[in-house]
Amino acid sequence: MSELSAARYGKDNVRLCKVHRDEATKTHTVTEMTVCVLLEGDIQPSYTDADNSVVVATDSMKNTVYLLAKQNPVTPPELFASILASHFPAKYPHIHAAHVKIITHRWTRMTIDGKPHPHSFLRDGAETRNTEVVCKRGTGLTVKSGIQGLLVLKSTGSAFHGFVRDEYTSLGETWDRILSTDVVANWEWRQFKTLDDVKNNVPLFDKAWEATRNITLKTFANDNSASVQATMYKMANEILVAVPEVNHVDYSLPNKHYFEIDMEWHKGLKNTGKDAEVYAPQSSPNGLIKCTVSRTKTSKL
């Protein structure tokens, strides 16, 4: 015998761009997003009995994204994701939970002749601002925020030594190396009871994103890193201090290796240790270091 133990479905890769036009200043602001909506609830018959009467069509979900974007602000993304996630359980009694993920793509205002241009933008990197919201009937909203694709590198100030050495070890110890990573950082907020609770805290979301980004960059640059593990732990702790409303911070940092090239074979040319100038960037394999740092249960806002 078998049973359907879990199910959710929805619309993925809904591309959305909204242009806000300030008539007073003649300045435009552009927001581009990719949205995913997944629903849970009393939808078992669509799987087990081929009964589509419980299915909210995924095309309807796509339309809902566009209509709610027209009728509501889409920034900060935590707010728009909460509006979307709250809509579905409120609209459809048999839907008990909605999962919404938003990826906000980077458009940076151009500076032309030393002045911000009113309606022209450039994409100055692959970095995205991400949000995930889950709205479950009776339990409120779980909100997670994130940064992804923030590529950083420093040419010194990183070491790695004192690690386990045994018959499997070939890696040499180093007291100075290039450190580079593609930052994925996420932070989970305290539980929001209602959509109004989210709306009342809107200013916190942009402030937290800015604080997290700044802490990540500053700690990466200034820390005399003993390891990726030690540096990411410092970052997460500082974020918890800076944003009291956040309960958990997690990082996923791939260690993007840059190896010295031994050129001794060519006329004794020195290019290792203190003489290293030319490196070979490595695409794979790479280290991958993750952690979650949580506020202790005794901590209070």
Side-chain angles (χ1 to χ4, degrees):
M1 295 294 293
S2 64
E3 64 178 1
L4 183 69
S5 56
R8 68 178 66 162
Y9 78 103
K11 201 71 161 181
D12 197 6
N13 295 311
V14 181
R15 301 294 303 276
L16 162 68
C17 180
K18 185 171 184 178
V19 180
H20 174 73
R21 299 174 176 87
D22 189 323
E23 295 301 328
T25 64
K26 305 301 181 184
T27 299
H28 295 181
T29 303
V30 171
T31 304
E32 183 176 344
M33 298 171 156
T34 301
V35 181
C36 176
V37 177
L38 296 173
L39 303 183
E40 294 181 64
D42 297 328
I43 56 176
Q44 296 90 334
S46 65
Y47 292 85
T48 59
D49 302 324
D51 179 1
N52 290 334
S53 64
V54 295
V55 175
V56 179
T58 66
D59 189 67
S60 301
M61 298 181 202
K62 176 205 68 179
N63 293 339
T64 302
V65 171
Y66 292 141
L67 290 168
L68 291 182
K70 175 65 176 178
Q71 297 165 355
N72 297 277
V74 297
T75 58
E78 290 87 351
L79 172 60
F80 184 53
S82 297
I83 291 170
L84 269 175
S86 299
H87 167 84
F88 293 99
K91 176 68 175 177
Y92 305 103
H94 71 291
I95 297 300
H96 303 158
H99 303 251
V100 174
K101 180 177 180 179
I102 294 179
I103 300 171
T104 305
H105 304 283
R106 194 172 177 86
W107 283 119
T108 301
R109 190 176 302 280
M110 289 186 187
T111 299
I112 306 297
D113 297 327
K115 297 180 181 179
H117 198 275
H119 58 254
S120 295
F121 307 83
L122 63 91
R123 181 156 295 167
D124 55 351
E127 178 190 351
T128 59
R129 177 175 173 177
N130 300 347
T131 302
E132 294 186 44
V133 174
V134 179
C135 178
K136 292 186 177 181
R137 184 177 285 112
T139 62
L141 296 99
T142 302
V143 180
K144 296 180 181 179
S145 305
I147 295 170
Q148 188 168 349
L150 178 59
L151 182 60
V152 293
L153 178 150
K154 65 178 181 180
S155 54
T156 190
S158 174
F160 188 56
H161 51 82
F163 51 86
V164 174
R165 302 200 68 85
D166 57 23
E167 67 272 25
Y168 298 101
T169 307
S170 60
L171 181 68
E173 296 185 322
T174 181
W175 280 257
D176 190 27
R177 63 174 180 171
I178 290 176
L179 178 60
S180 179
T181 189
D182 201 349
V183 175
V184 178
N186 297 287
W187 53 102
E188 183 175 339
W189 297 83
R190 64 161 179 84
Q191 190 78 1
F192 292 96
K193 296 179 180 179
T194 62
L195 179 57
D196 284 339
D197 192 10
V198 174
K199 291 179 177 179
N200 290 335
N201 286 277
V202 160
L204 293 177
F205 297 121
D206 283 347
K207 290 179 181 178
W209 174 82
E210 184 176 354
T212 298
R213 194 174 189 275
N214 289 341
I215 288 168
T216 298
L217 294 176
K218 184 176 181 179
T219 307
F220 177 84
N222 290 343
D223 184 41
N224 189 13
S225 178
S227 65
V228 176
Q229 288 90 331
T231 299
M232 72 198 313
Y233 183 70
K234 291 178 183 178
M235 292 174 178
N237 269 316
E238 288 196 34
I239 293 166
L240 289 174
V241 171
V243 191
E245 297 82 6
V246 164
N247 286 338
H248 310 281
V249 177
D250 66 76
Y251 275 97
S252 177
L253 301 181
N255 195 348
K256 305 176 78 66
H257 302 298
Y258 287 71
F259 291 159
E260 296 176 357
I261 302 172
D262 189 348
M263 300 181 178
E264 191 77 24
W265 57 272
H266 182 75
K267 301 178 183 180
L269 190 61
K270 297 184 182 301
N271 189 60
T272 59
K274 64 181 179 60
D275 298 309
E277 292 181 297
V278 178
Y279 298 80
Q282 306 296 302
S283 57
S284 60
N286 61 271
L288 179 59
I289 298 90
K290 298 186 176 188
C291 77
T292 300
V293 180
S294 301
R295 196 175 299 282
T296 56
K297 293 182 179 179
T298 55
S299 297
K300 296 183 178 180
L301 299 181

